[in-house]
Amino acid sequence: MPTYKIRGIDVDFPYEAYDSQIVYMDKVIQSLQEKRNALLESPTGTGKTLCLLCATLAWRKSLGSFTTGVSMHTGDKSEGKSDVSLSQSESSTFSTIVYASRTHSQIRQVIQELKRTSYRPKMGVLGSREQLCIHDEVKLLRGKTQTNACRFLCRRRGKRQCSHFHQVAEYLKGNSHLGEEPVDIEDLVDIGRKFGPCPYYLSKELHKFVDILFAPYNYLIDRGYRNSLQLSWSNSVLIFDEAHNLESICADAASFDLPSWLLTTCIKEAESCIDLSIERRDKSNDKSQNPDDFAILRALLLKLEKCISEVPIESKELGYTKPGPYIYELLADLNITHKTASKLIGIIGVASTLLQEHNQQKSTGTVCRLDRIGEILDIVFRDGRTAHAKYYRVHVREVEAWAANDSKGKVSRTISWWCFNPGIAMEDFRNKYGVRSIILTSGTLSPMESFAEELKLDFPIRLENPHVITPNQIWAGVVPVGPSGYTFNSSYRTRDSLQYKQDLGNAIVNLARIVPDGLLVFFPSYYLLDQIIGCWKSVSNENSMSIWDRICKHKKPVIEPRESSSFPLSIKVSEGLDFADHAGRAVVITGLPFATSTDPKVRLKREYLDKQSRPEGELFKVLTGDEWYNQQASRAVNQAVGRVIRHRYDYGAIILCDERFSHQQRLSQVSRWIQPHIKCFSRFGEVVFTLTRFFRDVGTQCPTKVSLLEAKKEGNLGELTSSEQHIEKLFSPMTTPKAQNFSLKASSLIDTKKGHASFLGEIMPANRSSLSFDNCKTVHCKSSSDISGKVLLGRKTLLSSECERVELADSCHLGEKSKDTPIAPCSSKKRKFMSGEYDLKQCFGNSNEHSSSGVVDLRDKDGVASNSVELTRQKGNTPADSVPSVGDETQGSAFLAQVRDKLSAAEYIDFVGCMKALKTKAMKISEVLQCISRLFSGPDRLPLLKRFKDYIPAKYHSLYEHYVEEKTSIT
């Protein structure tokens, strides 16, 4: 395992690192050493998570040994309390690393990456009860109902108590080593099922003394949960991975919406509490709950409902808006103040428990809505202060009643208290806890400036890393016009034009023909998605096919619905899912996904920022409303285009179908690693030429799936990406002159030690997923944004045998050459898959065995060249410059003809790609021979398996015979 000395710290890395990876680790260590915050962008597939873990843990290890052993001294088991001590007491003085990501599945992937490193810190992982509960009844519940049921059973004694909860302390006492090896949520669940302790409370105990703690975002952002964590926050390190939506998550966590239907439900629950408390008092003389308290609660909620209903709303579009501090005036009329709020929150807690106990007895899983009122009061009266209210706006609007409510169709109201300063969710870390460093990182942070300005944090250390791919693995272009020359612009001025919709559709038809495998198409909004799909499905005349039908000839579309409930298996593709390899070969952006400007939350956010950006504003510079509005759209685009290149060996195209992307200002907001590759085309025909050539060439230049499979066998790769599974293709809703080259060189502070040789210099992505498709079945993943809609175009065949004539209405025809670079004419009947010529003699290097060769050009039935492969038949002592004999050339031709006949189209591409990979030293000889032996396995291919030996140097015959024997014995 190579070791790199970075800023004086030895960093063990599983593989030979790229310069960009070393630069990334350098920035991480600089942030930790200098106690400063960092904002780090590194594209997906560059090994970001692995670099982050290795650099952080190397720095932590340099301070002192990792924590080992935890001894448990059980206390009051009924309350789940225990005393914990470390066998290494000094470890508790070192910085705790808190690693947060958005979801449990992403945390799981990070822990898998930790297993690949040499570091073994004491670790813990926090999960929800939904993920960890193993109680037969409670695990079936969700949300607050599950939480209350869990707490209720943990407090009980006797048969109804939770036996798992009471085994936690005893288990930890006898297993102090837990956490010294990477342990995931599934591992904790397995321990619970095998040995009895509750996995949820096991994780809660384990996290108290760890070197590194893994947790979802909300565990840190939610003040209530954060305060329950028993961590030493002082001098700790906070890492937010996948942080591109952190600002919106922080703002949402500090805001609330209270619709009429929810308030009505809370009033009914308060009435139920009155009845239940009276019933208990009469039947069992239980006076622990006072009916008068619940009566007061009900009266306050009724009065609040009346106040909201009387708010004067003159315009349905504008609603009723007041400054943030107005919320205190509204609540003061109900006698809810800082003094009374805490008592009211306590009454709500008692009411929630009473309702939960009743539901347990009745075996109902009804959710207690009163808890939400308590959460709202906690947000408004946080820490007994009011200063934070200046960052808010009160807004009341009229909406159609909730669909599932009895009052469906009637007009109802929603009162909101929206936070427009996401930084208040992070200020405790800076001002209260004394955190050492905060690192925000993601594959798509650009445009970066808004993060510091929105979060009100200083980020002196910043990085926009390049990708580890080569330029020939990506095609990126601005397509300002369609096949008929109509300008692409999705703004409201042109998007409703019939000509725009039709030309965009014709462009997608052509792209669907050119792009192999998965094609993702993003629309700026669901409205536009619906309008355009409707137009495409209409037929202009009886004798022609609709645009939609023509698309369906090449791809199998999957449309993302507005509501996931209407299509439970819909695919959310704008972010979060890994459409690597065949799943996503190209992404089409049909416009800029601006949020609806008339949406009250968007409008008020822009007004707030404009006011704050004046000279007399905040200490930190803030964005103007227009800057924020534009950057949000650009960030959504960056997240969408980041779906294409998912790892070192991946390749794909980014197609920007909107003329506005040709403006320099818009280009500057595209992720930095993409900018050098972007070209602006003036005619659609140029796009067809260059894109066709790109996919024709890249298939032979990039390592094949076979090489990835073999690399995995060598221990160089973790889980393989979704390219190894059957993947369907895709469709969906959500510049310029070539930019300056962007490159990063390793710092002079960095020194490399000699380590063990690594078989693989490239790093697979840490955040890949196991998404798979079968006959266009899809999985659901929550989308972070509602501003874009999407369509997934499903693949019909991996290798199409036919390619219809490309329809071009402009003056650029297939026989012409592009302005940028020459390109060979493309047949209008068949798609060419030119793999180039490969000389095995060159691939094997200097073997001191000379050979003659014969070149065979294989053609299909129509005479179109499919692949051209040069095979060299080994001749014992033939001079190097000897003329190939006709016999050898004929035998080579015959052999390749048999190979083409026996292998499928996809297998033959793997065969050719394998030869190319060997020639470029992308694969070792052993890998090539394993690849060939597998392709030629099977009774009908055994003659090919044996004959291939004639075309390799004699010194490799024994190795190849080993593979032949294996396949023969299996057969």
Side-chain angles (χ1 to χ4, degrees):
M1 180 174 289
T3 299
Y4 299 90
K5 184 172 286 293
I6 303 177
R7 293 183 174 268
I9 293 178
D10 291 340
V11 180
D12 294 336
F13 201 71
Y15 313 108
E16 296 175 4
Y18 292 105
D19 283 353
S20 60
Q21 293 171 332
I22 295 175
V23 170
Y24 184 92
M25 291 189 283
D26 176 77
K27 292 295 185 182
V28 172
I29 293 176
Q30 180 187 359
S31 170
L32 301 175
Q33 289 180 334
E34 298 178 3
K35 297 185 178 182
R36 298 198 290 174
N37 301 330
L39 199 58
L40 311 176
E41 179 183 81
S42 193
T44 299
T46 57
K48 168 178 59 68
T49 301
L50 196 60
C51 292
L52 190 57
L53 287 170
C54 290
T56 307
L57 293 174
W59 168 81
R60 166 59 185 82
K61 190 176 181 180
S62 70
L63 303 179
S65 300
F66 291 132
T67 303
T68 58
V70 177
S71 59
M72 300 293 301
H73 304 287
T74 57
D76 185 355
K77 292 185 179 181
S78 64
E79 295 297 324
K81 295 180 180 178
S82 57
D83 297 324
V84 185
S85 62
L86 299 176
S87 60
Q88 287 187 342
S89 59
E90 72 276 11
S91 296
S92 61
T93 63
F94 297 139
S95 300
T96 301
I97 301 164
V98 183
Y99 194 116
S101 194
R102 289 181 303 139
T103 64
H104 288 103
S105 61
Q106 288 172 338
I107 292 294
R108 183 183 306 116
Q109 291 163 7
V110 175
I111 294 175
Q112 290 300 316
E113 293 299 300
L114 177 61
K115 293 178 180 179
R116 298 169 62 189
T117 73
S118 65
Y119 298 101
R120 290 297 177 264
K122 187 78 171 183
M123 64 147 293
V125 57
L126 295 176
S128 66
R129 286 179 171 86
E130 291 183 11
Q131 299 282 332
L132 291 165
C133 181
I134 58 174
H135 188 279
D136 292 338
E137 297 176 8
V138 179
K139 70 180 181 182
L140 302 177
L141 305 176
R142 292 293 179 268
K144 279 286 186 179
T145 303
Q146 186 182 51
T147 300
N148 292 335
C150 173
R151 291 172 176 171
F152 175 71
L153 292 179
C154 290
R155 288 195 301 265
R156 287 183 64 101
R157 296 284 186 177
K159 294 182 180 180
R160 288 287 295 169
Q161 71 174 358
C162 179
S163 60
H164 302 292
F165 169 72
H166 297 286
Q167 297 181 54
V168 171
E170 192 64 29
Y171 180 83
L172 280 178
K173 187 176 180 180
N175 295 273
S176 60
H177 62 279
L178 185 63
E180 293 175 15
E181 286 293 324
V183 57
D184 199 358
I185 285 177
E186 285 77 8
D187 299 321
L188 294 176
V189 171
D190 289 340
I191 289 173
R193 288 172 176 165
K194 291 179 181 178
F195 304 105
C198 170
Y200 176 76
Y201 283 101
L202 198 61
S203 69
K204 294 267 287 183
E205 287 294 337
L206 191 61
H207 91 273
K208 296 176 182 177
F209 293 97
V210 291
D211 299 309
I212 185 168
L213 175 67
F214 298 95
Y217 279 175
N218 60 302
Y219 286 41
L220 303 184
I221 296 173
D222 183 272
R223 297 174 65 252
Y225 204 104
R226 184 173 68 231
N227 292 336
S228 71
L229 298 179
Q230 297 182 38
L231 287 174
S232 176
W233 292 103
S234 178
N235 204 37
S236 62
V237 175
L238 300 188
I239 298 173
F240 289 90
D241 198 358
E242 300 299 326
H244 45 269
N245 284 328
L246 184 62
E247 53 181 334
S248 61
I249 293 172
C250 288
D252 291 344
S255 305
F256 74 79
D257 295 298
L258 181 59
S260 295
W261 68 264
L262 179 57
L263 189 52
T264 301
T265 303
C266 291
I267 293 171
K268 292 179 180 179
E269 287 183 348
E271 291 175 351
S272 298
C273 288
I274 296 172
D275 297 336
L276 288 173
S277 59
I278 292 174
E279 182 181 352
R280 286 193 175 191
R281 184 183 59 185
D282 294 342
K283 286 186 176 181
S284 57
N285 200 28
D286 183 355
K287 298 181 180 179
S288 58
Q289 287 91 21
N290 187 348
D292 293 340
D293 289 341
F294 305 134
I296 293 173
L297 174 61
R298 175 181 176 276
L300 290 175
L301 295 177
L302 283 169
K303 192 172 182 180
L304 177 60
E305 184 180 51
K306 185 173 183 293
C307 288
I308 296 173
S309 67
E310 293 176 348
V311 166
I313 298 181
E314 298 179 358
S315 168
K316 185 176 181 180
E317 182 178 301
L318 297 178
Y320 177 82
T321 304
K322 286 285 188 179
Y326 173 76
I327 194 73
Y328 299 110
E329 297 179 27
L330 178 67
L331 295 177
D333 290 340
L334 310 178
N335 197 29
I336 302 177
T337 63
H338 283 87
K339 293 182 178 179
T340 61
S342 58
K343 182 177 181 180
L344 189 58
I345 292 173
I347 293 174
I348 291 172
V350 174
S352 177
T353 302
L354 180 61
L355 289 171
Q356 182 58 49
E357 291 176 352
H358 176 71
N359 291 335
Q360 284 287 319
Q361 293 172 359
K362 299 294 183 181
S363 299
T364 62
T366 307
V367 176
C368 180
R369 302 291 186 181
L370 272 172
D371 285 321
R372 182 56 182 159
I373 302 297
E375 293 169 359
I376 288 173
L377 293 175
D378 188 56
I379 291 173
V380 174
F381 296 102
R382 54 177 292 177
D383 299 331
R385 295 178 293 140
T386 61
H388 61 291
K390 65 183 178 181
Y391 304 122
Y392 286 77
R393 294 292 183 269
V394 176
H395 185 74
V396 181
R397 63 192 183 279
E398 289 185 342
V399 294
E400 186 174 324
W402 187 42
N405 193 273
D406 294 337
S407 58
K408 180 180 178 181
K410 297 180 181 179
V411 174
S412 66
R413 292 189 171 190
T414 296
I415 184 172
S416 303
W417 203 47
W418 288 325
C419 174
F420 294 131
N421 174 15
I424 67 171
M426 306 289 286
E427 65 181 7
D428 282 351
F429 295 121
R430 182 184 67 233
N431 301 330
K432 183 177 178 181
Y433 295 145
V435 169
R436 181 188 188 96
S437 302
I438 298 177
I439 299 176
L440 305 187
T441 185
S442 176
T444 50
L445 287 179
S446 299
M448 298 179 75
E449 191 62 32
S450 64
F451 274 86
E453 295 172 356
E454 286 275 82
L455 294 175
K456 299 296 185 293
L457 292 174
D458 183 26
F459 290 95
I461 300 173
R462 302 187 185 187
L463 173 67
E464 293 179 79
N465 235 351
H467 214 298
V468 295
I469 61 171
T470 56
N472 63 354
Q473 289 174 254
I474 182 173
W475 185 102
V478 179
V479 185
V481 296
S484 67
Y486 192 85
T487 300
F488 285 153
N489 188 310
S490 67
S491 66
Y492 69 92
R493 296 183 183 90
T494 58
R495 67 188 183 191
D496 290 328
S497 164
L498 178 61
Q499 193 173 357
Y500 167 77
K501 297 174 184 176
Q502 290 180 339
D503 221 24
L504 180 61
N506 288 328
I508 299 299
V509 171
N510 284 293
L511 295 174
R513 290 190 180 105
I514 297 169
V515 176
D517 309 317
L519 174 63
L520 292 85
V521 183
F522 287 81
F523 292 85
S525 66
Y526 284 103
Y527 166 80
L528 199 56
L529 168 67
D530 295 339
Q531 294 294 312
I532 289 179
I533 296 296
C535 175
W536 290 354
K537 289 184 176 180
S538 63
V539 181
S540 57
N541 59 70
E542 296 180 358
N543 298 323
S544 64
M545 295 177 64
S546 69
I547 293 174
W548 185 256
D549 290 336
R550 288 156 56 207
I551 290 173
C552 292
K553 289 182 63 178
H554 306 284
K555 301 285 188 267
K556 186 181 295 182
V558 177
I559 305 173
E560 180 188 20
R562 290 175 182 263
E563 300 295 336
S564 59
S565 59
S566 64
F567 188 17
L569 296 180
S570 64
I571 304 176
K572 309 292 182 177
V573 298
S574 61
E575 65 162 308
L577 292 185
D578 184 6
F579 284 86
D581 305 311
H582 299 314
R585 281 293 176 225
V587 58
V588 178
I589 306 297
T590 64
L592 289 162
F594 287 109
T596 305
S597 58
T598 56
D599 180 275
K601 197 170 186 178
V602 174
R603 175 173 53 82
L604 292 176
K605 172 75 172 185
R606 296 176 72 175
E607 291 176 1
Y608 167 84
L609 289 176
D610 286 337
K611 182 179 179 180
Q612 296 297 309
S613 62
R614 294 171 184 170
E616 66 270 20
E618 300 294 312
L619 174 64
F620 287 90
K621 178 184 177 295
V622 297
L623 297 168
T624 65
D626 284 343
E627 287 173 340
W628 170 82
Y629 189 65
N630 278 277
Q631 290 195 11
Q632 289 298 104
S634 296
R635 184 166 294 113
V637 169
N638 288 332
Q639 291 171 17
V641 300
R643 301 303 97 200
V644 179
I645 306 296
R646 306 301 292 168
H647 59 79
R648 168 64 181 89
Y649 294 112
D650 207 358
Y651 61 90
I654 298 169
I655 307 166
L656 306 171
C657 292
D658 194 304
E659 54 140 359
R660 290 172 291 180
F661 285 109
S662 63
H663 303 156
Q664 185 61 39
Q665 182 180 6
R666 185 63 58 187
L667 172 64
S668 67
Q669 295 183 352
V670 175
S671 292
R672 180 75 71 87
W673 71 271
I674 300 174
Q675 292 181 23
H677 306 287
I678 297 178
K679 290 186 177 181
C680 184
F681 298 90
S682 60
R683 295 181 296 179
F684 190 76
E686 295 177 297
V687 175
V688 171
F689 279 126
T690 57
L691 197 58
T692 301
R693 181 182 58 197
F694 169 77
F695 283 113
R696 180 196 67 190
D697 295 342
V698 74
T700 63
Q701 294 167 350
C702 291
T704 62
K705 176 175 67 177
V706 173
S707 67
L708 295 180
L709 289 167
E710 295 303 322
K712 182 183 180 183
K713 290 183 179 180
E714 295 288 346
N716 299 322
L717 301 178
E719 295 179 20
L720 292 174
T721 63
S722 52
S723 65
E724 300 152 37
Q725 307 169 34
H726 180 65
I727 307 289
E728 296 293 340
K729 294 184 187 177
L730 160 114
F731 208 84
S732 48
M734 331 189 277
T735 7
T736 76
K738 192 172 183 179
Q740 262 189 325
N741 288 334
F742 173 67
S743 62
L744 286 172
K745 298 296 182 183
S747 168
S748 60
L749 297 173
I750 301 170
D751 178 38
T752 304
K753 286 186 174 182
K754 289 185 178 180
H756 298 292
S758 171
F759 290 112
L760 187 66
E762 294 80 13
I763 306 302
M764 290 291 287
N767 59 342
R768 54 193 172 270
S769 74
S770 58
L771 172 67
S772 64
F773 298 79
D774 186 11
N775 296 325
C776 218
K777 292 180 180 178
T778 58
V779 295
H780 175 268
C781 176
K782 186 176 181 181
S783 173
S784 67
S785 174
D786 294 330
I787 63 175
S788 64
K790 314 162 197 73
V791 180
L792 170 63
L793 295 182
R795 179 180 61 190
K796 288 192 171 182
T797 56
L798 175 66
L799 179 61
S800 176
S801 60
E802 295 188 5
C803 181
E804 295 183 332
R805 186 180 302 275
V806 179
E807 301 170 2
L808 297 175
D810 63 10
S811 60
C812 188
H813 300 289
L814 288 176
E816 294 182 5
K817 294 183 179 181
S818 170
K819 289 182 180 179
D820 300 317
T821 48
I823 181 170
C826 176
S827 169
S828 61
K829 292 183 178 180
K830 296 282 184 177
R831 182 184 305 168
K832 288 186 179 181
F833 289 88
M834 299 296 296
S835 299
E837 298 180 355
Y838 306 101
D839 186 347
L840 290 185
K841 176 173 60 179
Q842 298 176 26
C843 295
F844 293 133
N846 184 12
S847 62
N848 297 322
E849 294 179 322
H850 305 294
S851 61
S852 58
S853 64
V855 178
V856 181
D857 189 6
L858 301 181
R859 296 175 180 271
D860 60 21
K861 294 179 181 179
D862 294 329
V864 179
S866 292
N867 289 285
S868 193
V869 182
E870 184 174 334
L871 280 178
T872 303
R873 186 180 178 87
Q874 297 301 314
K875 306 287 287 185
N877 297 306
T878 306
D881 56 352
S882 63
V883 178
S885 67
V886 176
D888 288 336
E889 186 172 337
T890 303
Q891 289 181 22
S893 300
F895 178 70
L896 281 179
Q898 292 177 20
V899 171
R900 177 71 185 208
D901 181 62
K902 293 294 184 182
L903 300 185
S904 67
E907 289 175 327
Y908 190 73
I909 288 179
D910 281 348
F911 170 75
V912 174
C914 194
M915 300 299 99
K916 175 64 176 177
L918 182 60
K919 181 178 179 180
T920 58
K921 301 186 185 303
M923 294 174 64
K924 296 183 297 185
I925 179 63
S926 60
E927 296 172 350
V928 172
L929 298 183
Q930 289 181 46
C931 165
I932 295 300
S933 65
R934 182 172 57 253
L935 287 173
F936 292 164
S937 62
D940 61 330
R941 301 180 184 180
L942 280 180
L944 298 178
L945 184 66
K946 295 177 180 178
R947 285 187 58 194
F948 188 76
K949 174 183 173 183
D950 297 337
Y951 300 96
I952 61 176
K955 67 178 181 179
Y956 297 118
H957 283 181
S958 59
L959 177 61
Y960 185 68
E961 286 172 354
H962 171 70
Y963 298 127
V964 173
E965 290 176 2
E966 284 186 349
K967 297 300 179 182
T968 304
S969 61
I970 294 175
T971 303

